[in-house]
């Protein structure tokens, strides 16, 4: 959601996050790498939204056979906000 603090300012925002997607595809951790402009709530809104998203987990080969196993992975996410 567009942050309430930014309403009326007409500001657009961009937030870059580093997240950890666990073996089930859930967001395990979300950290803000960069947010612009600061102080209008874009970082918090992006972090809240991304924490609710679901992803396809990453897979890596298992030892010995040709099967794959789900693993946790780091993902960079960019969230852009435009004024309503």
């Amino acid at each position: 959601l567009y942050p309430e603090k930014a309403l009326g300012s007409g500001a657009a925002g961009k937030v870059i996050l580093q997240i950890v997607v666990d073996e089930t595809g859930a967001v395990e951790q979300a950290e803000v790498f960069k947010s612009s402009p600061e102080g209008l709530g874009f970082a918090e809104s992006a972090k809240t939204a991304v924490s609710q998203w679901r992803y396809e987990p990453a897979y890596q080969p298992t030892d010995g056979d040709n099967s794959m196993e789900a693993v946790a992975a780091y993902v960079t996410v960019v969230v852009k906000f435009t004024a309503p």
Side-chain angles (χ1 to χ4, degrees):
L1 291 172
Y2 190 84
E4 193 170 319
K5 288 182 192 178
L7 287 173
S9 71
K14 180 178 176 182
V15 181
I16 302 171
L17 302 112
Q18 175 105 51
I19 66 171
V20 176
V21 177
D22 71 13
E23 298 84 0
T24 68
V27 175
E28 186 175 283
Q29 180 181 348
E31 296 296 325
V32 175
F33 178 71
K34 185 175 182 181
S35 178
S36 177
E38 293 184 12
L40 293 178
F42 291 115
E44 295 83 4
S45 288
K47 195 171 178 178
T48 299
V50 168
S51 295
Q52 298 173 27
W53 295 354
R54 298 286 298 184
Y55 291 83
E56 183 71 30
Y59 288 89
Q60 72 178 17
T62 58
D63 292 330
D65 57 13
N66 290 329
S67 63
M68 304 287 275
E69 68 178 336
V71 294
Y74 287 97
V75 178
T76 300
V77 177
V78 177
V79 179
K80 294 181 181 181
F81 292 88
T82 55

